[in-house]
Amino acid sequence: MLRRLRPSALALALCLAAPGAVQAAEAGTRTTVKKQDERLQVLDGLANELARSMKKLRLEGHDAPYFISYQLKDTRSHGVVARYGALFDDRSQREAKLAVDVRVGSYELDSSEGDEEMPFFLGGDQGPTYLAQNDAPLSPDPRALHNALWLLTDEKYKAALSNFLKRKASGVYAAEQEEERAVSFTKEKPVRFVQEPVEFPFDKPRWLEAAKTLSGLFRDYPEIFDSEVRVTGDKVLRIQTNSEGSRLVTEETLYAVHVQAVTRATDGQLLDNSRDFYAATEGELPSFEAMREETGKMIAELLALRTAPVIDPYTGPAILAPEATGVLFHETIGHRLEGERQDDDNEGRTFKGQVGNRVLPTFLSVVDDPTERIFQKRTLNGFYRYDDEAVAGKRTTLIEKGVLRNFLLSRKPVKGFTHSNGHGRAQSNRKPMARMANLFVLSDNQVPYPELRKRLIEEAKRQGKPYALIIRDITGGNTNTSTYGYQAFKGVPRMVYRVDVKTGEEQLVRGVEIVGTPLTSINKIVATGDEFGIFNGFCGAESGYVPVSTVAPAALITELELQRTVKANERSPILPGPWAKQKKE
């Protein structure tokens, strides 16, 4: 998103004096032994300014804050990008962002609901003329850090007062609620955890060579007119404290290799394919030989898709590969179990009031577990120890044998649940909300894949269908959970195979996407495979993009609907590419 340029002049009345000269105790801290953990110096700096704000911050005639949280995220990133065998981008960067949460009122009713982005001054109807920056110093400088926190805290306090007054005033006109809503904020026990520093190597020469070599493979296939290989490494240092006494220092690293390519079918449809490799450490990434082999398979798939026939819209039985099953549950179930959506009048609230009721076939269970780091020797993207609200991530059974048991909960509670289960997540310094981490789909009705395929054909025959479908790969999906529009989801399959019910032969097809309504589609599952697959990626929602994973088996669905993708008959490039010319010569 675009950010407005800030004025150079400081023209803002502040509720608390600037930190000013560092006190003697702080001055002494700056001269301590350099070997002291700089992370703890930053943590102490956050705690000192927080204590000052909790003790002194108050606008005369109005409430003081009852809760303040400070979080600093220091992100280091490395990345190289190659195309056509040549290096196109090589960069490293570092940034530190502050997230400040100031709440007025009480745990039962506070300022957290309302328009926090555009507060008004209490002395008039004019909006703010200056917005504080959320950047933090990249070195442990107490004065600079305190100044950044002072400005942000003041801004957030005024916004909280504004929202709290508006929230109380809204009760004058609002009709009494038929049912009592949950409190504003959960009370949680303070946590203290300082993680050992995590190494963050990035062998740039190695990855430069790997990216150039892998991207160079596409030169032999001029039909694939564009491609990219991107290698990234990211490390996030999180330092956090709050007025309840929590003090956290955590570090997480994530490495990735993304191989992407695009071509067009003979009728002009744009086709893409990719391979994505994730790992928590550099050494856990696949070998170059393994990535080269997968790139070769990806190229073969793209070339096959170019000439594959376009399938008509379809409603009938299908098998979803494990990754596709995971995406289906992520979109149809996971997002609808996020706690904030249960009491939001703008949300469809599919599962509100359904705790204790059956919502899935009785052989299916759904669990979200942020504490699981490795599954079948592969990194799970959604691992973390503590969420962005200083609550330990907890393994949470959402659906047990078809019965709804729980929601994904942040510190914004759902009626009937008094505590967070550690799922308050956010990208960078955005406001946390309940999000998925590692979503597991478990089944008590597992059969080997050959048996699952046999049942697929039998079901197609029973329905009088000439063929059934197997969806072996999927790029991702999206869903609408709001009251505006239909409660629906969409998945974008990549490798779809049509299975002839008479011969059992499979044919690659293209040109369709999965659509449907959540509960109807998910309750058509009648059996699953006995092997699990992992879908690693990032999920985007109101609190930004967060790393997530799904772990699921293949699933047999008696009725799945696929519609035609948007038709596009754009021409391929008119002149042959340079690699085609070189090949002919």
Side-chain angles (χ1 to χ4, degrees), residues 47-201:
N48 290 340
E49 185 63 16
L50 189 147
R52 187 174 84 106
S53 295
M54 286 297 296
K55 182 178 180 180
K56 298 182 178 181
L57 181 59
R58 182 167 190 167
L59 186 63
E60 186 176 353
H62 296 278
D63 293 345
Y66 81 92
F67 175 87
I68 296 178
S69 171
Y70 289 159
Q71 178 180 261
L72 182 150
K73 282 187 178 178
D74 186 338
T75 304
R76 300 171 186 257
S77 301
H78 302 295
V80 295
V81 177
R83 301 169 70 189
Y84 329 122
L87 180 65
F88 269 61
D89 196 4
D90 175 4
R91 67 179 65 185
S92 297
Q93 65 180 33
R94 182 186 176 195
E95 67 173 15
K97 295 291 184 181
L98 291 169
V100 173
D101 185 13
V102 179
R103 293 172 179 260
V104 173
S106 65
Y107 287 96
E108 288 70 31
L109 179 69
D110 72 11
S111 55
S112 58
E113 292 187 17
D115 185 359
E116 297 183 349
E117 298 302 321
M118 293 299 292
F120 61 80
F121 283 126
L122 299 178
D125 59 1
Q126 182 184 1
T129 58
Y130 178 80
L131 296 178
Q133 298 188 56
N134 53 33
D135 300 303
L138 297 179
S139 58
D141 186 316
R143 294 188 184 187
L145 178 60
H146 285 195
N147 200 85
L149 290 168
W150 163 62
L151 288 172
L152 274 172
T153 305
D154 184 87
E155 179 181 289
K156 296 291 186 179
Y157 173 56
K158 291 170 181 173
L161 282 177
S162 168
N163 291 334
F164 191 49
L165 290 175
K166 287 189 289 186
R167 188 173 184 190
K168 290 197 296 184
S170 66
V172 173
Y173 293 100
E176 293 187 10
Q177 297 289 330
E178 295 180 2
E179 55 181 321
E180 183 183 351
R181 293 211 174 197
V183 300
S184 293
F185 200 53
T186 64
K187 293 182 180 181
E188 304 293 345
K189 294 181 180 179
V191 294
R192 299 204 169 200
F193 176 76
V194 176
Q195 185 179 348
E196 290 296 319
V198 175
E199 295 294 325
F200 182 45

Side-chain angles (χ1 to χ4, degrees), residues 238-377:
R238 183 263 300 267
I239 303 174
Q240 186 171 10
T241 186
N242 64 33
S243 54
E244 295 170 329
S246 291
R247 291 169 62 93
L248 289 174
V249 178
T250 63
E251 298 189 5
E252 296 297 338
T253 57
L254 186 63
Y255 295 82
V257 179
H258 305 283
V259 185
Q260 301 172 311
V262 292
T263 186
R264 286 195 184 277
T266 53
D267 61 2
Q269 182 187 354
L270 187 67
L271 303 169
D272 68 278
N273 203 355
S274 67
R275 290 294 188 273
D276 302 283
F277 310 95
Y278 289 96
T281 66
E282 189 177 36
E284 293 173 7
L285 284 171
S287 66
F288 174 78
E289 290 72 21
M291 289 189 288
R292 182 177 184 132
E293 181 180 351
E294 285 300 313
T295 302
K297 293 179 181 178
M298 186 189 94
I299 291 172
E301 290 170 359
L302 263 182
L303 296 178
L305 280 170
R306 292 187 75 247
T307 57
V310 175
I311 190 175
D312 292 327
Y314 173 85
T315 302
I319 286 177
L320 297 181
E323 294 81 1
T325 302
V327 171
L328 177 69
F329 274 80
H330 178 101
E331 299 298 344
T332 61
I333 299 295
H335 278 299
R336 287 169 173 79
L337 291 179
E338 292 164 343
E340 279 80 352
R341 306 193 191 283
Q342 311 312 313
D343 284 331
D344 188 339
D345 293 333
N346 295 317
E347 292 287 339
R349 298 184 285 187
T350 307
F351 294 111
K352 183 176 176 63
Q354 296 299 309
V355 173
N357 294 338
R358 189 180 74 81
V359 295
L360 289 181
T362 56
F363 62 87
L364 291 175
S365 299
V366 180
V367 173
D368 195 275
D369 189 358
T371 69
E372 194 81 31
R373 182 160 205 160
I374 302 291
F375 184 81
Q376 294 181 348
K377 299 182 179 180

Side-chain angles (χ1 to χ4, degrees), residues 227-528:
S227 60
E228 176 183 285
V229 177
R230 181 181 298 268
V231 185
T232 61
D234 297 285
K235 178 180 179 179
V236 179
L237 162 64
R238 183 263 300 267
I239 303 174
Q240 186 171 10
T241 186
N242 64 33
S243 54
E244 295 170 329
S246 291
R247 291 169 62 93
L248 289 174
V249 178
T250 63
E251 298 189 5
E252 296 297 338
T253 57
L254 186 63
Y255 295 82
V257 179
H258 305 283
V259 185
Q260 301 172 311
V262 292
T263 186
R264 286 195 184 277
T266 53
D267 61 2
Q269 182 187 354
L270 187 67
L271 303 169
D272 68 278
N273 203 355
S274 67
R275 290 294 188 273
D276 302 283
F277 310 95
Y278 289 96
T281 66
E282 189 177 36
E284 293 173 7
L285 284 171
S287 66
F288 174 78
E289 290 72 21
M291 289 189 288
R292 182 177 184 132
E293 181 180 351
E294 285 300 313
T295 302
K297 293 179 181 178
M298 186 189 94
I299 291 172
E301 290 170 359
L302 263 182
L303 296 178
L305 280 170
R306 292 187 75 247
T307 57
V310 175
I311 190 175
D312 292 327
Y314 173 85
T315 302
I319 286 177
L320 297 181
E323 294 81 1
T325 302
V327 171
L328 177 69
F329 274 80
H330 178 101
E331 299 298 344
T332 61
I333 299 295
H335 278 299
R336 287 169 173 79
L337 291 179
E338 292 164 343
E340 279 80 352
R341 306 193 191 283
Q342 311 312 313
D343 284 331
D344 188 339
D345 293 333
N346 295 317
E347 292 287 339
R349 298 184 285 187
T350 307
F351 294 111
K352 183 176 176 63
Q354 296 299 309
V355 173
N357 294 338
R358 189 180 74 81
V359 295
L360 289 181
T362 56
F363 62 87
L364 291 175
S365 299
V366 180
V367 173
D368 195 275
D369 189 358
T371 69
E372 194 81 31
R373 182 160 205 160
I374 302 291
F375 184 81
Q376 294 181 348
K377 299 182 179 180
R378 285 182 60 187
T379 293
L380 296 181
N381 278 13
F383 167 82
Y384 57 86
R385 293 176 175 83
Y386 296 90
D387 72 4
D388 287 300
E389 295 181 310
V391 179
K394 299 179 181 65
R395 178 181 174 88
T396 303
T397 298
L398 301 169
I399 299 173
E400 181 181 32
K401 298 186 183 303
V403 177
L404 180 62
R405 298 297 186 192
N406 209 334
F407 296 98
L408 298 163
L409 298 173
S410 66
R411 296 190 66 174
K412 177 69 176 73
V414 174
K415 186 180 178 182
F417 298 89
T418 57
H419 290 284
S420 165
N421 50 36
H423 283 82
R425 308 184 66 195
Q427 176 186 2
S428 186
N429 60 338
R430 302 182 95 168
K431 182 180 178 180
M433 67 172 287
R435 304 286 298 276
M436 286 169 274
N438 296 318
L439 193 73
F440 288 79
V441 180
L442 309 176
S443 171
D444 292 332
N445 185 18
Q446 300 180 15
V447 298
Y449 181 78
E451 174 63 21
L452 201 67
R453 189 177 185 278
K454 177 184 175 183
R455 294 188 187 184
L456 170 71
I457 294 175
E458 290 174 350
E459 179 62 27
K461 289 179 178 179
R462 188 188 69 80
Q463 295 184 23
K465 303 288 184 181
Y467 60 85
L469 295 182
I470 298 176
I471 298 173
R472 290 211 167 91
D473 191 20
I474 191 167
T475 63
N478 59 74
T479 189
N480 174 45
T481 63
S482 73
T483 54
Y484 304 103
Y486 297 104
Q487 288 289 301
F489 73 94
K490 181 170 74 172
V492 185
R494 182 179 283 148
M495 304 300 292
V496 181
Y497 292 84
R498 182 166 54 193
V499 184
D500 188 298
V501 298
K502 293 181 179 179
T503 65
E505 293 182 358
E506 297 183 10
Q507 181 184 29
L508 179 66
V509 293
R510 60 180 172 86
V512 288
E513 55 192 16
I514 304 170
V515 293
T517 53
L519 293 183
T520 300
S521 300
I522 214 78
N523 276 282
K524 299 290 186 180
I525 297 176
V526 294
T528 70

